[in-house]
Amino acid sequence: MDKLDHYRQHIREIMAEYAHYHPINDELSVEQIIDHDNDHYELMRVGWENQHRIHGCLFHIDIKDGKIWIQHDGTEEGIANRLVAMGVPKNDIVLAFHSPFRRQFTEFAVN
Protein backbone atom coordinates (compact mmCIF):
# COMPACT_ATOMS: atom_id res chain seq x y z
CA MET A 1 0.00 0.00 0.00
CA ASP A 2 1.45 3.38 -0.96
CA LYS A 3 1.72 6.43 1.27
CA LEU A 4 -1.46 8.12 0.05
CA ASP A 5 -3.50 4.96 0.51
CA HIS A 6 -2.28 4.83 4.12
CA TYR A 7 -3.26 8.48 4.58
CA ARG A 8 -6.73 7.82 3.16
CA GLN A 9 -7.15 4.83 5.47
CA HIS A 10 -6.07 6.85 8.53
CA ILE A 11 -8.51 9.66 7.69
CA ARG A 12 -11.39 7.21 7.20
CA GLU A 13 -10.58 5.52 10.54
CA ILE A 14 -10.67 8.85 12.36
CA MET A 15 -13.91 9.81 10.60
CA ALA A 16 -15.56 6.52 11.50
CA GLU A 17 -14.57 6.91 15.14
CA TYR A 18 -16.01 10.42 15.40
CA ALA A 19 -19.13 9.40 13.45
CA HIS A 20 -19.90 6.82 16.15
CA TYR A 21 -20.19 9.57 18.78
CA HIS A 22 -23.92 9.95 18.36
CA PRO A 23 -25.36 13.15 19.82
CA ILE A 24 -27.75 12.76 22.75
CA ASN A 25 -30.30 14.77 20.82
CA ASP A 26 -32.14 12.43 18.41
CA GLU A 27 -32.79 15.33 16.06
CA LEU A 28 -29.05 15.63 15.26
CA SER A 29 -27.09 13.33 13.02
CA VAL A 30 -23.44 13.01 12.07
CA GLU A 31 -22.67 12.62 8.37
CA GLN A 32 -19.45 11.43 6.76
CA ILE A 33 -18.91 13.12 3.42
CA ILE A 34 -16.21 11.43 1.37
CA ASP A 35 -15.19 12.33 -2.17
CA HIS A 36 -12.79 9.51 -3.08
CA ASP A 37 -12.03 10.87 -6.55
CA ASN A 38 -10.84 14.26 -5.28
CA ASP A 39 -9.63 13.28 -1.78
CA HIS A 40 -12.04 15.46 0.20
CA TYR A 41 -13.25 14.32 3.64
CA GLU A 42 -15.74 16.12 5.89
CA LEU A 43 -17.60 15.21 9.03
CA MET A 44 -20.78 17.24 9.49
CA ARG A 45 -23.38 17.67 12.24
CA VAL A 46 -26.85 18.23 10.82
CA GLY A 47 -30.27 18.63 12.41
CA TRP A 48 -32.06 20.58 15.10
CA GLU A 49 -31.27 21.46 18.69
CA ASN A 50 -34.32 22.93 20.41
CA GLN A 51 -35.51 25.48 17.85
CA HIS A 52 -32.06 26.11 16.34
CA ARG A 53 -30.83 24.65 13.08
CA ILE A 54 -27.47 22.89 13.33
CA HIS A 55 -25.41 22.52 10.18
CA GLY A 56 -21.73 22.54 10.96
CA CYS A 57 -18.47 20.97 10.02
CA LEU A 58 -16.61 19.09 12.74
CA PHE A 59 -13.59 18.65 10.49
CA HIS A 60 -12.58 18.97 6.85
CA ILE A 61 -9.50 17.30 5.41
CA ASP A 62 -8.12 17.20 1.88
CA ILE A 63 -5.20 15.34 0.36
CA LYS A 64 -3.32 17.61 -2.06
CA ASP A 65 0.13 17.28 -3.58
CA GLY A 66 0.91 14.22 -1.45
CA LYS A 67 0.10 15.93 1.85
CA ILE A 68 -2.81 15.99 4.25
CA TRP A 69 -4.36 19.47 4.40
CA ILE A 70 -6.47 20.03 7.52
CA GLN A 71 -8.86 22.74 6.36
CA HIS A 72 -10.92 22.84 9.57
CA ASP A 73 -10.53 21.04 12.89
CA GLY A 74 -13.26 21.36 15.49
CA THR A 75 -12.03 18.48 17.66
CA GLU A 76 -10.53 18.84 21.11
CA GLU A 77 -7.54 16.57 20.63
CA GLY A 78 -6.58 17.80 17.16
CA ILE A 79 -6.68 15.73 13.99
CA ALA A 80 -2.99 16.48 13.32
CA ASN A 81 -2.04 14.91 16.66
CA ARG A 82 -4.05 11.79 15.81
CA LEU A 83 -2.40 11.51 12.41
CA VAL A 84 1.09 11.87 13.88
CA ALA A 85 0.25 9.14 16.42
CA MET A 86 -0.75 6.95 13.46
CA GLY A 87 2.67 7.44 11.87
CA VAL A 88 2.10 10.35 9.48
CA PRO A 89 5.20 12.60 9.44
CA LYS A 90 4.59 16.21 10.48
CA ASN A 91 6.09 17.46 7.23
CA ASP A 92 3.19 15.75 5.38
CA ILE A 93 0.50 17.59 7.38
CA VAL A 94 -0.52 21.16 6.55
CA LEU A 95 -2.57 23.10 9.10
CA ALA A 96 -4.47 24.93 6.36
CA PHE A 97 -6.71 26.69 8.89
CA HIS A 98 -3.66 28.82 9.76
CA SER A 99 -2.46 31.51 7.35
CA PRO A 100 0.61 30.57 5.28
CA PHE A 101 2.63 33.11 7.30
CA ARG A 102 1.61 31.55 10.62
CA ARG A 103 2.26 27.96 9.47
CA GLN A 104 6.02 28.57 9.48
CA PHE A 105 5.90 28.79 13.26
CA THR A 106 4.28 25.35 13.69
CA GLU A 107 5.98 21.96 13.64
CA PHE A 108 4.01 21.05 10.52
CA ALA A 109 4.38 21.68 6.79
CA VAL A 110 3.90 25.18 5.41
CA ASN A 111 2.39 23.91 2.13
Side-chain angles (χ1 to χ4, degrees):
M1 185 179 304
D2 77 345
K3 174 179 90 167
L4 294 182
D5 286 335
H6 279 288
Y7 291 177
R8 291 177 185 109
Q9 181 180 345
H10 294 326
I11 293 167
R12 287 192 306 266
E13 287 174 18
I14 293 169
M15 287 185 80
E17 181 181 326
Y18 275 96
H20 280 96
Y21 296 137
H22 187 64
I24 295 172
N25 177 351
D26 287 335
E27 294 183 40
L28 280 176
S29 64
V30 177
E31 298 179 358
Q32 297 181 61
I33 302 169
I34 300 173
D35 176 354
H36 293 286
D37 295 334
N38 298 297
D39 278 325
H40 301 297
Y41 306 86
E42 287 189 60
L43 195 65
M44 300 288 296
R45 290 178 294 167
V46 179
W48 292 90
E49 188 168 45
N50 299 321
Q51 297 296 320
H52 299 282
R53 178 69 176 157
I54 305 295
H55 184 265
C57 177
L58 183 59
F59 62 77
H60 174 183
I61 301 169
D62 296 325
I63 297 177
K64 300 190 314 185
D65 303 321
K67 295 184 180 181
I68 297 172
W69 288 65
I70 302 174
Q71 305 290 356
H72 175 75
D73 186 353
T75 68
E76 284 188 38
E77 68 181 318
I79 298 298
N81 295 328
R82 289 288 304 277
L83 291 166
V84 169
M86 296 171 114
V88 177
K90 290 181 179 181
N91 63 345
D92 275 357
I93 300 171
V94 177
L95 303 180
F97 53 85
H98 288 312
S99 71
F101 173 77
R102 190 168 174 203
R103 289 181 211 153
Q104 68 182 318
F105 303 113
T106 72
E107 301 175 34
F108 297 93
V110 174
N111 56 15

